């Protein structure tokens, strides 16, 4: 089931939450809506769900214009940020709810409901909890029950609002992989909202980056990482060194052998794109080792520039593997040659 | 310090709260069980009980429906004038009971706005049962709404949105999701509303006309008997109302406990 | 705002709310204003400045003020004892505090009158020992109003005391404050806004109270006659205009006082950084 958003705008008073959003999501994808808080990603998700109406624009699900359709008739599954499990119902009744409130002529028999609910609970591996109430579950269990509940009505689109936001770091890691596997089993078109770029990159097949109510970029995780469309995306996804080309850093960039084009103003360099070698000739070296930190398998090296007139000494971060770092046998204060493998130039 | 403060508190409670309760019982039974019983089963007492029950039976459901509707509108939607509406709902609490009675006399009394029309159509409201019901409606107006509004505000509407997203209709969402979540607060509001509806004195006294056997509610019957120096009759009726108060307090504690239990 | 709403039932719920509010509350209350408008200014002033009316206003407001103050004092102690100390029967006592809410005012009235009348249990004792007459004097009104007021104070102060962060006390003690200083400089300033709310609620209720007062007051014009009783008396004599003028005046004064207390409270909160 494909999702097509046409010129969606939404304002709260004078604040423009979404500004002319156009988005096409092919069937079967697992899409992350990624952006900083307040960028409009949750609003967009709620508009797709029908939990909010856009001021302008159309929402087309699988070729059918659902813009004015009420949430209860859109056939979507929604997993709320804090799960919104029905506190007064057991896990079983929560999952069965969507089936039981169906109109009489569409409602399956109680035996079929029972079978279906147990199947779903087995799918999320929590059938043994079917008699519990939500307040007796852990955060991760609640999340999976919320997912099972949303899946019970066989939604054509699954929408998840910050699905891992309220979980502990360790549980979050496990659930990310689990969600990805679940999606590859079910193939239901899914969109989840997140502010965590790592999560988006790890789970999603497509990432949509939002900022201040507009879409900055849409693409596969590797696409977005390797070819950021603009400075915002580049900075938001992963670590990066930012150089303003009109400042002394221009000289430094040139000292590493780069030639900025005239019209570019900003250069972004990822830490792992900076290669360090022992200085061949100390006076011609472009950087000095200031400090380093261990990040597990990687080492983060803090460099300062080695320009003759160095007024503003901006620090530059580089990363390399532990192994190669050891081989270089560097000490603080050593002068090094720097080669930049890849730069993203922005206006 | 601790003991002297506790002693002051307990002495105050004993003097102001326990002593009155004890006195009602001793005064009601001052002339023995049979005198008490004959006062209770007196025709006027019985008709006062009936009228009190009738009044509560009409006003409590109406104000309950209103309370739910008002809480739903106020907590589930944004609209202009919302805070004014919330303030207006509490208005009857800040109006003296006597003034509450007065305004209905001004509306429906002989010299009132609708006085002539009512007289021409031979409809009696003031000094009759309808007046008592209407004035009680006014007095107990905010009880249910003001219990529900803060609770539903705090609850938020995520669970209701979840139900809607699962395909539930508005009515089913209310019935299966909202109602079970607010039931204890709702019962709490109904309980307080009922206690006031059965016990209201000042406002009802203004519009009732004190016609024995016809327009005397139980609290009015207490007054009439007391003013006639019929102490046993006054305190016999008072004992029923005190019993009602005690039952109300017990149920109230129970509901408070349930609510705390549910939220934990 | 969106053109239609996701949550169901907005129109019926708000429609019914407004309709019912108008019918039961707003239209009836507006009669008070329209009826007063029919009265000329001079007539109004004549009614209000009549000595008996002025005396009733004085009695009502002074007794309500005194009662609210006394109830605040005892209510604070009771709330303190309930939240700080534990003893057997506390739960029962705590539940009993709401008795004045639940007990019909007429019942409270006759019971208090019976207790404090010269031949009553306490009335006799107070006259014999202290030559103090409670019933049928303004003191009787105060006693009835204390009874009515006590739950307002206890129920507003109790939760605030309960939630009071005791680490603030510990911090003050660790800085060398005495127990009295901890109370006057730490605890009381934090509780004061709630106490003031309780006081205001008690006062507002006391001014309008009728049922519990009339039996014990004696209702002697100029001395122990309260405004609500005066309104009833006027009504019984079919002096609708007089009753209305007095009622409207009382409502306006009560609202003004409540507003003033609310503003005062906001000011205190702001000053102590609780807003």
């Amino acid at each position: 089931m494909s999702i097509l958003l046409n010129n969606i705008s939404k304002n709260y008073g004078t604040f423009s939450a979404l500004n002319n959003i156009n988005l096409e999501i092919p069937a079967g994808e697992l899409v992350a809506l990624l952006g900083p808080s307040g960028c409009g990603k949750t609003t967009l998700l709620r508009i797709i769900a029908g939990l909010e109406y856009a001021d302008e624009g159309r929402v087309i699900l699988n070729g059918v214009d659902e813009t004015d359709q009420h949430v209860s008739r859109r056939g979507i599954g929604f997993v709320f940020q804090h799960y919104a499990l029905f506190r007064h119902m057991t896990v079983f009744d929560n999952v069965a709810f969507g089936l039981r409130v169906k109109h009489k002529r569409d409602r399956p028999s109680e035996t079929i409901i029972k079978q279906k609910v147990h199947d779903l609970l087995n799918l999320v591996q929590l059938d043994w909890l079917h008699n519990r109430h939500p307040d007796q579950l852990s955060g991760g269990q609640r999340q999976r029950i919320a997912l099972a509940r949303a899946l019970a009505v066989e939604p054509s689109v699954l929408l998840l609002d910050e699905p891992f936001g309220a979980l502990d770091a360790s549980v979050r890691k496990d659930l990310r992989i689990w969600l990805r596997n679940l999606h590859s089993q079910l193939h239901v078109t899914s969109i989840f909202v997140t502010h965590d770029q790592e999560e988006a990159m790890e789970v999603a097949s497509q990432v949509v980056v939002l900022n201040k109510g507009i879409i900055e970029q849409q693409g596969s995780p590797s696409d977005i990482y390797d070819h950021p469309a603009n400075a915002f995306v580049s900075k938001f996804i992963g670590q990066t060194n930012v150089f303003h080309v009109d400042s002394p850093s221009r000289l430094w960039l040139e000292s590493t052998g780069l030639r900025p084009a005239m019209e570019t103003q900003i250069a972004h360099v990822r830490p792992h794109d900076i290669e360090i070698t022992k200085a061949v000739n100390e006076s011609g070296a472009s950087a000095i080792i200031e400090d380093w930190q261990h990040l597990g398998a990687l080492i983060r090296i803090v460099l300062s520039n080695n320009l003759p007139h160095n007024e503003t000494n901006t620090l530059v971060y580089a990363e390399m593997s532990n192994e190669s770092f050891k081989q270089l046998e560097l000490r603080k204060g050593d002068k090094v040659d720097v080669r930049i493998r890849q730069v993203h130039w922005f206006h | 310090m601790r003991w002297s403060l506790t002693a002051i508190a307990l002495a105050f409670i004993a003097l102001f709260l326990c002593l009155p309760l004890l006195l009602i019982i001793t005064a009601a039974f001052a002339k023995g069980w049979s005198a008490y019983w004959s006062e209770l089963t007196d025709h006027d007492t019985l008709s006062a009980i009936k009228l009190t029950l009738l009044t509560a039976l009409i006003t409590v459901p109406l104000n309950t429906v209103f309370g739910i509707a008002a809480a739903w509108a106020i907590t589930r939607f944004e609209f202009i004038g919302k805070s004014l509406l919330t303030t207006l709902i509490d208005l009857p609490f800040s109006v003296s009971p006597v003034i509450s009675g007065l305004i209905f006399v001004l509306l429906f009394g002989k010299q009132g706005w609708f006085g002539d029309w009512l007289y021409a159509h031979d409809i009696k409201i003031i000094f009759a049962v309808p007046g008592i019901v209407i004035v009680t409606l006014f007095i107990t107006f905010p009880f249910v709404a003001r219990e529900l509004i803060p609770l539903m505000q705090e609850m938020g509407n995520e669970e209701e949105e979840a139900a809607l997203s699962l395909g539930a209709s508005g009515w089913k969402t209310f019935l299966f999701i909202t109602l079970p979540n607010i039931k204890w607060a709702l019962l709490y509001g109904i309980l307080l509303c009922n206690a006031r509806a059965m016990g209201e004195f000042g406002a009802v006294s203004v519009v009732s006309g004190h016609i024995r056997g016809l327009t005397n509610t139980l609290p009015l019957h207490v007054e009439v008997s007391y003013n006639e120096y019929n102490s046993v009759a006054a305190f016999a009726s008072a004992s029923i109302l005190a019993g009602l108060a005690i039952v109300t307090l017990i149920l109230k504690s129970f509901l408070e406990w349930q609510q705390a239990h549910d939220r934990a | 705002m969106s053109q239609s709403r996701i949550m169901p039932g907005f129109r019926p719920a708000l429609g019914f709310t407004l309709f019912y509010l108008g019918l039961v509350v707003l239209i009836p209350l507006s009669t008070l204003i329209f009826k007063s408008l029919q009265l000329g200014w001079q007539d109004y002033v004549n009614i209000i400045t009549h000595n008996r009316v002025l005396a009733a206003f004085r009695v009502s407001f002074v007794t309500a003020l005194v009662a609210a103050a006394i109830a605040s004092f005892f209510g604070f102690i009771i709330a303190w004892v309930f939240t700080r100390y534990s003893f057997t029967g506390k739960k029962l006592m705590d539940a009993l505090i709401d008795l004045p809410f639940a007990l019909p005012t007429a019942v409270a009235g006759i019971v208090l009158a019976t207790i404090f009348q010269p031949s009553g249990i306490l009335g006799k004792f107070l006259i014999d020992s202290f030559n103090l007459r409670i019933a049928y004097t303004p003191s009787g009104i105060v006693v009835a109003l204390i009874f009515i007021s006590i739950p307002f104070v206890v129920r507003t102060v109790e939760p605030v005391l309960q939630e009071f962060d005791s680490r603030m006390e510990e911090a003050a003690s660790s800085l060398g404050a005495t127990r009295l200083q901890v109370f006057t400089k730490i605890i009381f300033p934090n509780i004061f806004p709630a106490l003031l709310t309780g006081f205001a609620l008690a006062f507002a209720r006391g001014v309008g109270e009728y049922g519990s007062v009339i039996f014990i007051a004696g209702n002697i014009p100029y001395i122990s006659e309260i405004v609500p009783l005066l309104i009833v008396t006027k009504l019984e004599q079919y002096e609708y205009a007089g009753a209305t003028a007095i009622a409207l005046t009382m409502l306006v004064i009560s609202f003004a006082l409540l507003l003033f207390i609310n503003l005062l409270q906001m000011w205190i909160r702001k000053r102590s950084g609780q807003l």
Side-chain angles (χ1 to χ4, degrees):
Chain A
M1 170 112 150
S2 65
I3 299 169
L4 185 65
L5 301 180
N6 245 334
N7 295 320
I8 297 281
S9 291
K10 173 86 180 173
N11 302 304
Y12 294 106
T14 54
F15 173 72
S16 166
L18 292 172
N19 193 359
N20 213 10
I21 297 281
N22 283 291
L23 183 63
E24 192 176 348
I25 292 168
E29 294 280 345
L30 174 54
V31 178
L33 282 181
L34 173 67
S37 62
C39 70
K41 55 193 189 297
T42 293
T43 305
L44 188 60
L45 193 76
R46 289 171 64 88
I47 286 173
I48 298 170
L51 286 167
E52 240 155 89
Y53 291 121
D55 296 339
E56 277 168 59
R58 316 302 303 169
V59 177
I60 293 150
L61 303 181
N62 211 20
V64 182
D65 189 334
E66 302 268 19
T67 313
D68 300 317
Q69 187 72 279
H70 191 258
V71 53
S72 56
R73 288 181 291 274
R74 275 199 196 180
I76 53 96
F78 200 96
V79 177
F80 289 79
Q81 187 177 2
H82 300 287
Y83 320 129
L85 291 177
F86 305 133
R87 278 169 282 192
H88 60 290
M89 293 183 190
T90 61
V91 162
F92 182 94
D93 291 336
N94 261 282
V95 178
F97 183 85
L99 300 169
R100 285 179 176 158
V101 295
K102 272 185 195 289
H103 195 276
K104 222 171 199 152
R105 56 167 195 269
D106 305 323
R107 195 186 308 154
S109 72
E110 203 52 35
T111 28
I112 292 174
I113 290 178
K114 205 170 163 183
Q115 185 57 47
K116 199 161 173 186
V117 171
H118 283 300
D119 285 351
L120 278 162
L121 287 173
N122 279 321
L123 180 72
V124 298
Q125 297 150 1
L126 289 177
D127 194 36
W128 55 288
L129 291 174
H130 68 270
N131 259 331
R132 301 268 184 97
H133 277 83
D135 56 2
Q136 297 166 304
L137 305 180
S138 72
Q141 289 167 343
R142 278 179 216 184
Q143 209 260 359
R144 283 189 276 164
I145 297 302
L147 195 62
R149 183 179 69 178
L151 289 172
V153 291
E154 293 177 12
S156 50
V157 179
L158 186 61
L159 305 166
L160 307 98
D161 187 6
E162 295 273 3
F164 313 109
L167 297 174
D168 294 341
S170 60
V171 183
R172 202 180 304 172
K173 286 253 180 224
D174 292 343
L175 273 177
R176 280 181 196 168
I177 299 160
W178 178 81
L179 180 67
R180 208 186 149 101
N181 291 339
L182 188 75
H183 178 261
S184 61
Q185 273 180 56
L186 300 174
H187 281 296
V188 54
T189 313
S190 306
I191 304 179
F192 70 99
V193 154
T194 178
H195 62 269
D196 181 342
Q197 46 97 9
E198 212 176 290
E199 187 170 290
M201 307 297 269
E202 189 176 329
V203 180
S205 59
Q206 286 267 311
V207 177
V208 177
V209 184
L210 270 135
N211 183 36
K212 292 180 182 162
I214 58 164
I215 292 179
E216 300 278 5
Q217 193 174 1
Q218 178 186 4
S220 68
S222 61
D223 230 20
I224 286 187
Y225 189 84
D226 294 336
H227 309 289
N230 53 41
F232 173 82
V233 176
S234 163
K235 245 173 111 166
F236 194 72
I237 310 280
Q239 306 281 324
T240 192
N241 290 296
V242 179
F243 300 101
H244 292 271
V245 179
D246 54 355
S247 72
S249 48
R250 179 190 189 96
L251 291 173
W252 190 77
L253 286 173
E254 284 172 351
S255 81
T256 67
L258 288 170
R259 284 244 146 247
M262 280 318 282
E263 69 274 15
T264 53
Q265 284 152 22
I266 300 168
H268 284 192
V269 180
R270 301 234 185 252
H272 54 77
D273 284 333
I274 297 179
E275 197 182 303
I276 298 170
T277 47
K278 266 210 158 138
V280 183
N281 153 8
E282 290 231 337
S283 59
S286 47
I288 307 170
I289 304 275
E290 290 288 331
D291 197 3
W292 60 79
Q293 294 123 25
H294 289 263
L295 313 171
L298 292 177
I299 295 275
R300 178 195 288 147
I301 302 151
V302 186
L303 303 167
S304 64
N305 66 41
N306 186 33
L307 291 172
H309 317 285
N310 95 40
E311 307 92 8
T312 53
N313 199 349
T314 36
L315 295 177
V316 177
Y317 294 91
E319 278 173 15
M320 64 169 67
S321 75
N322 242 330
E323 206 58 27
S324 359
F325 184 69
K326 271 182 196 149
Q327 282 170 8
L328 284 175
E329 294 181 326
L330 291 167
R331 273 186 302 268
K332 283 182 196 171
D334 280 359
K335 303 211 165 150
V336 288
D337 285 334
V338 169
R339 193 178 76 85
I340 294 175
R341 287 193 207 99
Q342 196 187 12
V343 191
H344 295 292
W345 304 102
F346 299 108
H347 298 292
Chain B
M1 198 63 186
R2 172 182 176 156
W3 297 117
S4 50
L5 286 179
T6 312
I8 293 172
L10 292 183
F12 186 93
I13 292 169
L15 210 65
F16 268 85
L17 303 174
C18 299
L19 184 63
L21 278 180
L22 279 176
L23 184 107
I24 294 171
I25 298 167
T26 49
F29 292 101
K31 290 182 184 159
W33 169 260
S34 61
Y36 174 79
W37 186 249
S38 78
E39 286 303 340
L40 270 196
T41 49
D42 176 72
H43 171 261
D44 292 345
T45 314
L46 287 180
S47 73
I49 293 175
K50 258 186 234 159
L51 180 56
T52 300
L53 290 176
L54 175 75
T55 306
L57 217 62
I58 298 172
T59 54
V60 174
L62 277 173
N63 281 339
T64 302
V65 172
F66 161 75
I68 294 171
W72 185 264
I74 287 172
T75 62
R76 293 297 177 255
F77 303 97
E78 290 303 323
F79 53 90
I80 300 155
K82 193 160 109 162
S83 58
L84 177 70
L85 179 61
T86 317
T87 312
L88 288 178
I89 286 174
D90 270 346
L91 209 53
F93 274 166
S94 32
V95 175
S96 167
V98 167
I99 298 179
S100 313
L102 166 70
I103 56 177
F104 287 97
V105 173
L106 294 180
L107 261 188
F108 302 119
K110 263 205 184 115
Q111 301 174 27
W113 282 4
F114 300 113
D116 293 336
W117 187 86
L118 291 171
Y119 187 74
H121 291 76
D122 201 23
I123 303 170
K124 250 182 113 59
I125 291 184
I126 298 305
F127 305 145
V129 175
I132 293 172
V133 172
I134 293 172
V135 87
T136 307
L137 218 50
F138 176 90
I139 287 282
T140 59
F141 181 84
F143 277 101
V144 175
R146 71 182 280 137
E147 288 305 323
L148 293 184
I149 290 170
L151 175 77
M152 286 172 67
Q153 204 104 57
E154 191 197 309
M155 256 168 50
N157 58 6
E158 259 205 352
E159 283 187 44
E160 282 138 8
E161 283 184 345
L164 291 174
S165 80
L166 291 167
S169 64
W171 179 242
K172 279 181 175 166
T173 300
F174 174 76
L175 215 58
F176 297 139
I177 305 302
T178 314
L179 208 53
N181 275 322
I182 63 168
K183 65 177 176 226
W184 297 121
L186 182 65
L187 288 175
Y188 192 89
I190 291 174
L191 181 75
L192 298 186
C193 183
N194 178 65
R196 188 70 194 268
M198 290 188 170
E200 177 51 28
F201 171 72
V204 171
S205 135
V206 171
V207 298
S208 131
H210 297 83
I211 308 162
R212 283 180 149 256
L214 278 179
T215 63
N216 265 357
T217 61
L218 209 45
L220 295 178
H221 189 63
V222 169
E223 184 205 13
V224 170
S225 309
Y226 184 81
N227 286 342
E228 289 169 349
Y229 301 104
N230 187 352
S231 172
V232 171
F235 280 99
S237 301
S239 73
I240 303 176
L241 291 168
L244 173 76
I246 300 286
V247 171
T248 302
L249 290 185
I250 293 170
L251 287 175
K252 188 167 167 284
S253 299
F254 169 74
L255 289 176
E256 276 163 3
W257 179 81
Q258 278 289 0
Q259 239 172 326
H261 188 74
D262 261 23
R263 280 199 218 169
Chain C
M1 206 172 295
S2 53
Q3 63 276 43
S4 49
R5 296 158 206 270
I6 308 299
M7 295 293 285
F10 177 65
R11 275 156 195 274
L14 187 66
F16 178 68
T17 300
L18 292 178
F19 170 74
Y20 192 76
L21 176 76
L23 203 66
V24 176
V25 176
L26 298 184
I27 294 175
L29 264 180
S30 67
T31 58
L32 210 54
I33 294 160
F34 285 111
K35 186 81 187 172
S36 299
L37 288 179
Q38 288 171 8
L39 213 63
W41 175 250
Q42 196 52 51
D43 294 334
Y44 172 77
V45 172
N46 285 344
I47 293 169
I48 292 303
T49 53
H50 191 281
N51 277 339
R52 186 171 166 187
V53 178
L54 289 178
F57 270 107
R58 199 179 53 237
V59 170
S60 274
F61 283 98
V62 170
T63 52
L65 214 58
V66 173
I70 297 174
S72 298
F73 178 75
F74 284 104
F76 183 78
I77 293 178
I78 291 171
W80 180 271
V81 168
F82 280 171
T83 48
R84 295 279 167 139
Y85 311 138
S86 61
F87 48 90
T88 42
K90 191 170 93 171
K91 279 236 165 76
L92 184 71
M93 297 287 153
D94 195 28
L96 210 56
I97 288 294
D98 285 328
L99 183 70
F101 278 156
L103 195 68
T105 53
V107 176
I110 67 163
V111 173
L112 290 173
T114 309
I115 292 176
F116 286 97
Q117 69 194 8
S119 60
I121 314 168
L122 283 178
K124 197 166 154 50
F125 168 75
L126 289 171
I127 287 175
D128 290 352
S129 329
F130 306 103
N131 197 19
L132 189 67
R133 261 178 82 95
I134 297 289
Y136 318 133
T137 71
S139 317
I141 303 175
V142 172
V143 165
L145 294 183
I146 293 173
F147 174 83
I148 291 296
S149 303
I150 203 74
F152 287 99
V153 179
V154 176
R155 290 302 178 230
T156 39
V157 173
E158 219 176 8
V160 182
L161 269 175
Q162 208 120 47
E163 278 161 31
F164 184 77
D165 186 356
S166 60
R167 278 169 300 186
M168 274 201 274
E169 286 172 63
E170 290 168 4
S173 300
S174 77
L175 294 167
T178 64
R179 282 176 65 186
L180 184 68
Q181 283 172 323
V182 169
F183 180 80
T184 55
K185 291 187 191 301
I186 308 296
I187 300 172
F188 194 73
N190 278 291
I191 304 303
F192 187 63
L195 192 61
L196 198 63
T197 308
F199 174 87
L201 291 172
F203 175 69
R205 173 72 198 268
V207 169
E209 181 55 28
Y210 175 72
S212 60
V213 173
I214 52 162
F215 298 97
I216 198 174
N219 308 324
I220 309 153
Y222 301 99
I223 295 171
S224 63
E225 187 178 51
I226 54 167
V227 177
L229 182 73
L230 197 58
I231 295 172
V232 171
T233 312
K234 295 261 177 208
L235 268 180
E236 279 168 358
Q237 294 160 357
Y238 298 103
E239 290 180 36
Y240 285 12
T244 310
I246 298 171
L248 188 70
T249 310
M250 187 165 124
L251 262 190
V252 169
I253 297 177
S254 318
F255 282 156
L257 276 171
L258 277 183
L259 188 72
F260 170 72
I261 291 170
N262 271 336
L263 291 176
L264 184 70
Q265 203 172 15
M266 252 155 71
W267 180 72
I268 291 172
R269 284 232 165 95
K270 214 174 250 171
R271 222 188 40 164
S272 60
Q274 289 180 35
L275 206 74

